[in-house]
Amino acid sequence: SISKSLKENFKEAVSFISNFEVNACNYAKSQHMDGVVCGHIHVPSLKTIDGIEYYNTGDWVENFSCLVLTKENNWSLLYF
């Protein structure tokens, strides 16, 4: 059915995103880095994964989001 197909595709997409974030942070940790900043998967995010900061800018098309560094030296997601 269509609903079954959509649910399976959604689960696969969520799994892909989670795996991407974890793998990026694992690589950063292996290279003795503090964090990861990317926009590859277009999902806005600010989080810590296993002690590594993970920041994703999102995108201008679907989320109207961007990542900024404030004057106080803090990362923030903005939505327009």
Side-chain angles (χ1 to χ4, degrees):
S1 73
I2 293 174
S3 65
K4 182 179 177 184
S5 178
L6 289 173
K7 286 178 187 177
E8 288 174 2
N9 287 336
F10 180 76
K11 287 179 185 177
E12 287 177 19
V14 169
S15 178
F16 173 81
I17 291 168
S18 178
N19 288 339
F20 176 83
E21 294 171 347
V22 169
N23 288 334
C25 288
N26 286 341
Y27 180 77
K29 192 170 195 171
S30 77
Q31 300 299 307
H32 308 287
M33 297 177 183
D34 297 322
V36 175
V37 177
C38 65
H40 177 69
I41 55 176
H42 300 260
V43 179
S45 183
L46 291 175
K47 62 175 126 180
T48 303
I49 299 173
D50 195 24
I52 300 294
E53 298 300 316
Y54 175 83
Y55 306 146
N56 193 303
T57 61
D59 67 288
W60 285 110
V61 177
E62 292 179 28
N63 297 295
F64 305 106
S65 62
C66 67
L67 185 63
V68 297
L69 183 60
T70 66
K71 290 180 183 179
E72 295 79 22
N73 206 33
N74 296 313
W75 289 101
S76 179
L77 276 171
L78 295 182
Y79 294 88
F80 296 90

XYZ file of all heavy atoms in Angstrom:
642
model
N 0.832 -1.183 0.000
C 0.000 0.000 0.000
C 0.878 1.249 0.000
O 2.063 1.197 0.329
C -0.922 0.010 1.219
O -0.193 0.301 2.384
N 0.274 2.356 -0.333
C 1.006 3.625 -0.374
C 1.483 4.006 1.021
O 2.629 4.423 1.199
C 0.132 4.738 -0.982
C -0.114 4.446 -2.463
C 0.786 6.090 -0.807
C -1.086 5.399 -3.117
N 0.621 3.858 2.032
C 1.007 4.255 3.391
C 2.165 3.402 3.906
O 3.069 3.910 4.567
C -0.178 4.181 4.346
O -0.612 2.852 4.499
N 2.160 2.130 3.594
C 3.252 1.251 4.016
C 4.563 1.683 3.359
O 5.604 1.762 4.009
C 2.938 -0.204 3.671
C 4.015 -1.164 4.121
C 3.659 -2.590 3.786
C 4.793 -3.512 4.199
N 4.556 -4.891 3.835
N 4.499 1.972 2.089
C 5.680 2.420 1.355
C 6.221 3.729 1.921
O 7.431 3.887 2.105
C 5.341 2.592 -0.127
O 6.453 3.075 -0.834
N 5.322 4.670 2.215
C 5.746 5.954 2.783
C 6.385 5.765 4.157
O 7.411 6.378 4.463
C 4.564 6.913 2.882
C 4.025 7.470 1.576
C 2.749 8.259 1.816
C 5.072 8.339 0.902
N 5.796 4.915 4.988
C 6.351 4.652 6.315
C 7.738 4.033 6.221
O 8.650 4.402 6.951
C 5.425 3.726 7.112
C 4.176 4.393 7.608
C 3.302 3.400 8.349
C 1.973 3.995 8.706
N 1.083 3.033 9.364
N 7.917 3.072 5.308
C 9.220 2.434 5.140
C 10.251 3.436 4.653
O 11.381 3.460 5.145
C 9.114 1.257 4.171
C 8.395 0.062 4.759
C 8.160 -1.053 3.770
O 8.593 -0.934 2.597
O 7.534 -2.060 4.162
N 9.875 4.283 3.695
C 10.807 5.288 3.188
C 11.156 6.301 4.267
O 12.297 6.733 4.367
C 10.226 5.997 1.962
C 10.229 5.104 0.744
O 11.007 4.168 0.647
N 9.342 5.391 -0.189
N 10.182 6.678 5.088
C 10.429 7.625 6.173
C 11.401 7.024 7.184
O 12.337 7.677 7.622
C 9.118 8.014 6.851
C 9.303 8.976 7.980
C 9.559 10.320 7.736
C 9.243 8.540 9.300
C 9.748 11.210 8.774
C 9.427 9.420 10.343
C 9.677 10.762 10.081
N 11.177 5.765 7.564
C 12.066 5.092 8.503
C 13.485 5.013 7.951
O 14.453 5.217 8.679
C 11.552 3.687 8.817
C 10.330 3.668 9.704
C 9.864 2.255 9.946
C 8.569 2.222 10.721
N 8.065 0.856 10.918
N 13.621 4.726 6.663
C 14.935 4.663 6.036
C 15.607 6.037 6.043
O 16.804 6.136 6.284
C 14.824 4.140 4.602
C 14.523 2.666 4.517
C 14.357 2.179 3.092
O 14.815 2.871 2.156
O 13.759 1.115 2.917
N 14.846 7.089 5.792
C 15.396 8.439 5.784
C 15.867 8.833 7.177
O 16.961 9.390 7.342
C 14.362 9.443 5.274
N 15.076 8.547 8.190
C 15.457 8.857 9.574
C 16.713 8.082 9.949
O 17.639 8.629 10.559
C 14.299 8.554 10.550
C 14.764 8.613 11.995
C 13.149 9.522 10.320
N 16.775 6.824 9.572
C 17.941 5.995 9.855
C 19.186 6.553 9.145
O 20.266 6.614 9.726
C 17.685 4.560 9.418
O 18.818 3.765 9.642
N 19.039 6.945 7.888
C 20.156 7.512 7.126
C 20.682 8.766 7.809
O 21.888 8.943 7.970
C 19.722 7.844 5.695
C 20.775 8.587 4.930
C 21.834 7.916 4.343
C 20.722 9.968 4.812
C 22.820 8.608 3.655
C 21.698 10.671 4.123
C 22.751 9.985 3.541
N 19.777 9.660 8.216
C 20.179 10.915 8.857
C 20.921 10.622 10.157
O 21.994 11.166 10.417
C 18.962 11.826 9.104
C 18.436 12.341 7.765
C 19.313 12.984 10.033
C 17.077 13.003 7.844
N 20.368 9.745 10.972
C 21.000 9.401 12.238
C 22.377 8.790 12.011
O 23.347 9.151 12.690
C 20.116 8.433 13.020
O 20.745 8.057 14.220
N 22.480 7.865 11.063
C 23.771 7.234 10.763
C 24.772 8.267 10.263
O 25.950 8.212 10.630
C 23.608 6.121 9.730
C 22.911 4.908 10.296
O 22.871 4.706 11.506
N 22.334 4.110 9.424
N 24.339 9.191 9.427
C 25.227 10.224 8.911
C 25.788 11.061 10.049
O 26.992 11.300 10.140
C 24.495 11.127 7.905
C 25.338 12.259 7.418
C 26.234 12.075 6.376
C 25.267 13.503 8.024
C 27.039 13.115 5.935
C 26.067 14.553 7.592
C 26.950 14.356 6.541
N 24.918 11.511 10.957
C 25.341 12.353 12.073
C 26.331 11.613 12.970
O 27.384 12.156 13.334
C 24.124 12.794 12.890
C 23.195 13.706 12.139
C 21.894 13.960 12.861
O 21.575 13.260 13.843
O 21.172 14.883 12.435
N 25.998 10.378 13.326
C 26.863 9.579 14.199
C 28.202 9.300 13.516
O 29.268 9.441 14.134
C 26.164 8.268 14.622
C 27.128 7.313 15.299
C 24.987 8.581 15.534
N 28.175 8.916 12.245
C 29.414 8.629 11.528
C 30.289 9.867 11.385
O 31.514 9.790 11.530
C 29.117 8.028 10.154
C 28.615 6.607 10.243
O 28.902 5.893 11.204
N 27.851 6.187 9.258
N 29.679 11.011 11.124
C 30.449 12.253 11.017
C 31.111 12.585 12.350
O 32.287 12.971 12.397
C 29.546 13.395 10.563
N 30.373 12.410 13.441
C 30.932 12.695 14.770
C 31.996 11.677 15.162
O 33.012 12.043 15.774
C 29.821 12.759 15.810
S 28.815 14.250 15.639
N 31.792 10.424 14.817
C 32.812 9.410 15.096
C 34.111 9.730 14.364
O 35.198 9.593 14.926
C 32.321 8.014 14.716
C 31.306 7.460 15.689
O 31.200 7.920 16.824
N 30.542 6.471 15.250
N 33.988 10.154 13.112
C 35.192 10.516 12.352
C 35.874 11.732 12.980
O 37.093 11.746 13.139
C 34.846 10.797 10.882
C 36.077 11.172 10.100
C 36.982 10.191 9.705
C 36.346 12.491 9.772
C 38.127 10.525 9.010
C 37.483 12.833 9.072
C 38.383 11.844 8.687
O 39.515 12.181 8.002
N 35.088 12.741 13.344
C 35.659 13.937 13.973
C 36.390 13.561 15.259
O 37.504 14.048 15.515
C 34.560 14.954 14.264
N 35.798 12.693 16.038
C 36.422 12.260 17.297
C 37.730 11.523 17.018
O 38.726 11.734 17.711
C 35.452 11.379 18.077
C 35.869 11.127 19.491
C 34.751 10.449 20.271
C 35.052 10.541 21.752
N 33.919 10.085 22.552
N 37.743 10.681 15.991
C 38.957 9.927 15.651
C 40.082 10.851 15.195
O 41.259 10.487 15.278
C 38.663 8.876 14.578
O 38.548 9.470 13.291
N 39.724 12.034 14.723
C 40.710 13.014 14.252
C 41.003 14.075 15.324
O 41.636 15.083 15.042
C 40.215 13.686 12.968
C 39.985 12.720 11.824
C 41.256 12.001 11.422
O 42.276 12.629 11.156
N 41.204 10.671 11.391
N 40.501 13.847 16.542
C 40.707 14.746 17.688
C 40.143 16.137 17.428
O 40.739 17.144 17.803
C 42.188 14.814 18.074
C 42.798 13.460 18.265
N 42.524 12.670 19.359
C 43.635 12.737 17.473
C 43.180 11.527 19.242
N 43.856 11.534 18.109
N 38.982 16.189 16.790
C 38.301 17.448 16.507
C 37.200 17.676 17.539
O 36.746 16.736 18.195
C 37.727 17.430 15.100
C 38.775 17.313 14.041
S 38.026 17.209 12.417
C 39.476 17.004 11.412
N 36.771 18.914 17.673
C 35.729 19.266 18.642
C 34.324 19.150 18.076
O 33.362 19.016 18.825
C 35.921 20.702 19.135
C 37.226 20.877 19.882
O 37.619 19.954 20.621
O 37.860 21.926 19.720
N 34.191 19.255 16.744
C 32.855 19.251 16.193
C 32.803 19.113 14.687
O 33.826 19.060 14.015
N 31.571 19.082 14.209
C 31.268 18.941 12.786
C 30.268 20.032 12.411
O 29.267 20.217 13.112
C 30.632 17.561 12.489
C 30.200 17.454 11.040
C 31.571 16.435 12.876
N 30.541 20.739 11.325
C 29.587 21.708 10.778
C 29.340 21.293 9.339
O 30.271 21.152 8.547
C 30.139 23.151 10.813
C 29.162 24.120 10.170
C 30.467 23.564 12.242
N 28.067 21.057 9.014
C 27.759 20.636 7.654
C 26.365 21.097 7.252
O 25.630 21.660 8.046
C 27.881 19.120 7.514
S 26.695 18.196 8.473
N 26.012 20.831 6.031
C 24.695 21.137 5.516
C 24.254 20.065 4.542
O 23.247 20.200 3.864
N 25.010 18.989 4.495
C 24.827 17.956 3.478
C 23.425 17.373 3.441
O 22.881 17.146 2.359
C 25.861 16.850 3.683
C 25.735 15.705 2.742
N 26.014 15.835 1.406
C 25.336 14.433 2.928
C 25.800 14.676 0.804
N 25.397 13.813 1.712
N 22.811 17.130 4.577
C 21.516 16.450 4.576
C 20.340 17.404 4.782
O 19.203 16.970 4.902
C 21.475 15.307 5.606
C 21.838 15.806 6.991
C 22.390 14.176 5.186
C 21.736 14.754 8.062
N 20.604 18.703 4.842
C 19.562 19.740 4.859
C 18.619 19.658 6.061
O 17.493 20.132 5.982
C 18.731 19.706 3.575
C 19.542 19.922 2.344
N 19.606 21.138 1.720
C 20.343 19.089 1.640
C 20.406 21.043 0.658
N 20.859 19.806 0.594
N 19.052 19.053 7.160
C 18.225 18.966 8.357
C 18.859 19.844 9.435
O 19.909 19.498 9.964
C 18.112 17.506 8.855
C 17.278 17.439 10.119
C 17.505 16.620 7.772
N 18.248 20.992 9.752
C 18.838 21.890 10.737
C 19.013 21.189 12.091
O 18.102 20.502 12.554
C 17.828 23.028 10.870
C 16.864 22.860 9.759
C 16.947 21.460 9.283
N 20.193 21.372 12.691
C 20.443 20.681 13.943
C 21.593 21.314 14.704
O 22.586 21.720 14.114
C 20.778 19.218 13.644
O 20.966 18.489 14.827
N 21.444 21.382 16.007
C 22.514 21.739 16.944
C 22.443 20.705 18.056
O 21.482 20.686 18.818
C 22.292 23.131 17.557
C 22.425 24.352 16.692
C 22.049 25.601 17.492
C 23.828 24.493 16.172
N 23.418 19.820 18.134
C 23.386 18.802 19.181
C 24.788 18.285 19.459
O 25.720 18.547 18.716
C 22.447 17.666 18.817
C 22.821 16.892 17.569
C 21.880 15.714 17.397
C 21.234 15.700 16.049
N 20.341 14.574 15.874
N 24.893 17.541 20.543
C 26.149 16.899 20.921
C 25.958 15.399 20.799
O 24.989 14.839 21.321
C 26.535 17.261 22.364
O 26.623 18.683 22.476
C 27.872 16.650 22.734
N 26.880 14.756 20.086
C 26.846 13.314 19.902
C 28.173 12.756 20.408
O 29.226 13.057 19.848
C 26.633 12.934 18.420
C 25.309 13.489 17.914
C 26.704 11.421 18.234
C 25.077 13.324 16.424
N 28.105 11.986 21.467
C 29.297 11.350 22.053
C 30.426 12.365 22.304
O 31.582 12.116 21.983
C 29.779 10.199 21.155
C 30.763 9.273 21.867
O 30.740 9.219 23.111
O 31.554 8.616 21.166
N 30.049 13.524 22.838
C 31.033 14.538 23.184
C 31.479 15.426 22.044
O 32.295 16.334 22.230
N 30.952 15.201 20.850
C 31.302 15.999 19.669
C 30.114 16.888 19.305
O 28.979 16.417 19.216
C 31.665 15.090 18.469
C 32.857 14.187 18.801
C 31.934 15.912 17.214
C 34.167 14.918 19.030
N 30.382 18.168 19.088
C 29.319 19.095 18.676
C 28.986 18.835 17.206
O 29.885 18.763 16.363
C 29.765 20.540 18.857
C 30.079 20.910 20.298
C 28.894 20.732 21.221
O 27.763 21.117 20.856
O 29.105 20.195 22.331
N 27.701 18.694 16.907
C 27.234 18.468 15.538
C 26.285 19.601 15.169
O 25.262 19.804 15.828
C 26.506 17.123 15.415
C 25.916 16.923 14.045
C 26.699 16.446 13.004
C 24.596 17.249 13.785
C 26.162 16.283 11.728
C 24.052 17.096 12.527
C 24.845 16.615 11.504
O 24.320 16.467 10.253
N 26.643 20.348 14.121
C 25.831 21.468 13.655
C 25.528 21.282 12.182
O 26.428 21.072 11.377
C 26.562 22.802 13.837
C 27.054 23.087 15.232
C 28.231 23.781 15.432
C 26.348 22.678 16.356
C 28.697 24.058 16.711
C 26.801 22.951 17.632
C 27.978 23.645 17.801
O 28.427 23.911 19.066
N 24.252 21.373 11.834
C 23.852 21.308 10.430
C 23.073 22.572 10.095
O 22.129 22.940 10.797
C 22.988 20.067 10.175
C 22.812 19.800 8.702
O 22.336 20.660 7.978
N 23.199 18.629 8.270
N 23.470 23.226 9.031
C 22.889 24.511 8.639
C 21.449 24.411 8.172
O 20.736 25.414 8.168
C 23.696 25.131 7.491
O 23.650 24.255 6.366
C 25.131 25.366 7.903
N 21.030 23.236 7.755
C 19.711 23.125 7.139
C 19.788 23.605 5.698
O 20.762 23.333 5.004
N 18.779 24.352 5.254
C 18.784 24.831 3.870
C 17.817 26.000 3.710
O 16.973 26.254 4.565
C 18.398 23.697 2.921
C 16.958 23.277 3.108
O 16.641 22.654 4.135
O 16.151 23.593 2.235
N 17.964 26.697 2.593
C 17.114 27.858 2.307
C 15.827 27.470 1.601
O 14.878 28.244 1.563
C 17.854 28.857 1.422
C 18.882 29.639 2.155
C 20.243 29.526 2.026
C 18.665 30.660 3.138
N 20.862 30.396 2.876
C 19.913 31.119 3.567
C 17.524 31.213 3.703
C 20.065 32.105 4.518
C 17.674 32.204 4.658
C 18.928 32.640 5.047
N 15.749 26.281 1.028
C 14.609 25.914 0.194
C 13.436 25.351 1.000
O 12.309 25.816 0.864
C 15.043 24.908 -0.892
C 13.859 24.466 -1.733
C 16.122 25.515 -1.770
N 13.693 24.366 1.862
C 12.612 23.736 2.621
C 12.470 24.302 4.027
O 11.365 24.484 4.515
C 12.845 22.232 2.706
C 12.706 21.522 1.373
C 12.975 20.035 1.499
O 12.752 19.473 2.584
O 13.407 19.445 0.500
N 13.587 24.537 4.691
C 13.552 24.940 6.098
C 13.779 26.433 6.324
O 13.529 26.920 7.414
C 14.609 24.160 6.886
C 14.332 22.686 6.874
O 13.342 22.231 7.415
N 15.200 21.923 6.228
N 14.276 27.133 5.313
C 14.602 28.561 5.447
C 15.464 28.793 6.683
O 15.171 29.650 7.510
C 13.339 29.418 5.498
C 12.422 29.200 4.331
C 11.244 28.492 4.494
C 12.745 29.681 3.084
C 10.398 28.274 3.420
C 11.905 29.471 2.005
C 10.736 28.764 2.169
N 16.525 28.004 6.816
C 17.352 28.043 8.017
C 18.812 28.327 7.679
O 19.267 28.097 6.560
C 17.256 26.717 8.763
O 17.733 25.659 7.963
N 19.518 28.821 8.690
C 20.958 29.028 8.561
C 21.588 28.924 9.938
O 20.927 29.062 10.969
C 21.279 30.356 7.898
S 20.831 31.793 8.887
N 22.872 28.695 9.949
C 23.646 28.584 11.167
C 24.472 29.856 11.313
O 25.105 30.289 10.347
C 24.566 27.366 11.053
C 25.402 26.954 12.229
C 24.510 26.547 13.391
C 26.301 25.796 11.839
N 24.438 30.471 12.485
C 25.205 31.699 12.711
C 26.010 31.578 13.998
O 25.639 30.862 14.927
C 24.293 32.948 12.796
C 23.565 33.176 11.492
C 23.321 32.840 13.949
N 27.117 32.284 14.032
C 27.923 32.407 15.238
C 27.647 33.795 15.802
O 27.877 34.802 15.141
C 29.408 32.236 14.913
C 30.370 32.272 16.085
C 30.062 31.154 17.079
C 31.810 32.153 15.600
N 27.142 33.855 17.029
C 26.751 35.132 17.618
C 27.970 35.905 18.111
O 29.076 35.358 18.203
C 25.788 34.909 18.809
O 26.506 34.244 19.858
C 24.574 34.104 18.391
N 27.760 37.163 18.461
C 28.835 37.994 19.014
C 29.372 37.398 20.307
O 30.517 37.625 20.672
C 28.327 39.414 19.269
C 28.056 40.192 18.014
C 27.561 41.587 18.352
C 27.214 42.349 17.099
N 26.712 43.697 17.413
N 28.524 36.649 21.015
C 28.918 36.015 22.271
C 29.645 34.692 22.047
O 29.917 33.940 22.976
C 27.690 35.782 23.155
C 27.004 37.047 23.616
C 26.103 37.665 22.546
O 25.670 36.936 21.612
O 25.846 38.869 22.626
N 29.944 34.388 20.782
C 30.668 33.176 20.392
C 29.848 31.900 20.635
O 30.383 30.860 21.011
C 32.020 33.084 21.101
C 33.013 32.258 20.304
O 32.989 32.247 19.077
N 33.887 31.568 21.004
N 28.533 31.987 20.413
C 27.638 30.839 20.509
C 27.029 30.547 19.135
O 26.689 31.468 18.406
C 26.504 31.108 21.495
C 27.013 31.298 22.909
O 27.823 30.531 23.388
N 26.552 32.342 23.568
N 26.878 29.277 18.819
C 26.228 28.886 17.582
C 24.721 28.910 17.779
O 24.207 28.545 18.832
C 26.671 27.507 17.147
C 28.078 27.494 16.671
C 29.184 27.072 17.355
C 28.541 27.922 15.387
N 30.298 27.227 16.578
C 29.939 27.729 15.365
C 27.912 28.439 14.265
C 30.713 28.046 14.257
C 28.686 28.749 13.157
C 30.067 28.555 13.154
N 24.006 29.323 16.719
C 22.560 29.403 16.781
C 21.969 29.096 15.414
O 22.577 29.403 14.381
C 22.154 30.804 17.224
O 20.774 30.933 17.282
N 20.800 28.483 15.405
C 20.058 28.265 14.167
C 19.029 29.364 14.036
O 18.304 29.679 14.988
C 19.333 26.917 14.176
C 20.151 25.706 13.772
C 19.364 24.434 14.053
C 20.525 25.771 12.312
N 18.957 29.970 12.858
C 17.937 30.972 12.577
C 17.008 30.432 11.501
O 17.443 29.768 10.572
C 18.569 32.270 12.086
C 19.454 33.030 13.058
C 19.940 34.323 12.400
C 18.720 33.346 14.334
N 15.737 30.726 11.662
C 14.723 30.330 10.682
C 14.048 31.584 10.159
O 13.715 32.478 10.918
C 13.668 29.428 11.331
C 14.229 28.091 11.774
C 14.794 27.942 13.040
C 14.183 26.997 10.926
C 15.301 26.717 13.445
C 14.688 25.765 11.334
C 15.237 25.647 12.585
O 15.748 24.439 13.002
N 13.882 31.646 8.839
C 13.249 32.806 8.217
C 11.937 32.421 7.578
O 11.702 31.316 7.236
C 14.178 33.398 7.153
C 15.437 33.937 7.748
C 16.552 33.135 7.887
C 15.504 35.238 8.195
C 17.719 33.635 8.435
C 16.651 35.750 8.752
C 17.765 34.930 8.876
